[in-house]
Amino acid sequence: QVQLVESGGDLVQPGGSLRLSCAASGGIFNMYTMDWYRQAPGKQRELVATITSGGITNSVDSVKGRFTISRDNAKKTVYLQMNNLKPEDTAVYYCHARGRWTDFWGQGTQVTVSS
């Protein structure tokens, strides 16, 4: 069983930056592919960025060049650095751990981009 706790969400002005963190406990963290998802009001949850156990990353086109996913296996933490934030980035951001047979979700952290 893996527990995931996100932090770092906040209210930020357009063009600003935030760094989200997701701390994991339980399980063997470095074996999991880690994802960041987001869900805006009235919309479906969407995958934002992924980092494999080997450190290979990918992200959705709408955040390429602005968001960076990274992980620190020693700290059992995955990060999402978000720069040049836009109002359309407003959402609850969720951390997700994918194993071979199971997956786990965090409780989410709110990011609001508004002037």
Side-chain angles (χ1 to χ4, degrees), residues 6-109:
E6 301 99 331
S7 61
D10 205 345
L11 169 64
V12 63
Q13 292 187 344
S17 297
L18 284 175
R19 188 175 82 156
L20 304 183
S21 299
C22 171
S25 59
I28 304 174
F29 177 78
N30 60 4
M31 293 184 67
Y32 289 93
T33 289
M34 301 299 297
D35 309 305
W36 283 100
Y37 281 77
R38 66 185 179 187
Q39 188 166 19
K43 294 188 177 181
Q44 287 190 329
R45 192 173 294 190
E46 68 166 345
L47 177 62
V48 175
T50 294
I51 184 164
T52 68
S53 57
I56 297 172
T57 63
N58 199 6
S59 59
V60 66
D61 285 347
S62 60
V63 307
K64 274 185 166 47
R66 300 190 298 123
F67 291 11
T68 302
I69 188 170
S70 62
R71 66 192 296 163
D72 184 333
N73 288 335
K75 294 183 178 179
K76 294 188 176 181
T77 301
V78 62
Y79 304 98
L80 186 67
Q81 177 67 43
M82 305 186 295
N83 298 327
N84 190 21
L85 282 159
K86 303 176 180 181
E88 52 263 43
D89 295 319
T90 295
V92 178
Y93 283 71
Y94 296 91
C95 180
H96 179 242
R98 274 189 284 144
R100 187 171 180 179
W101 296 287
T102 59
D103 67 311
F104 305 94
W105 290 93
Q107 83 290 347
T109 185

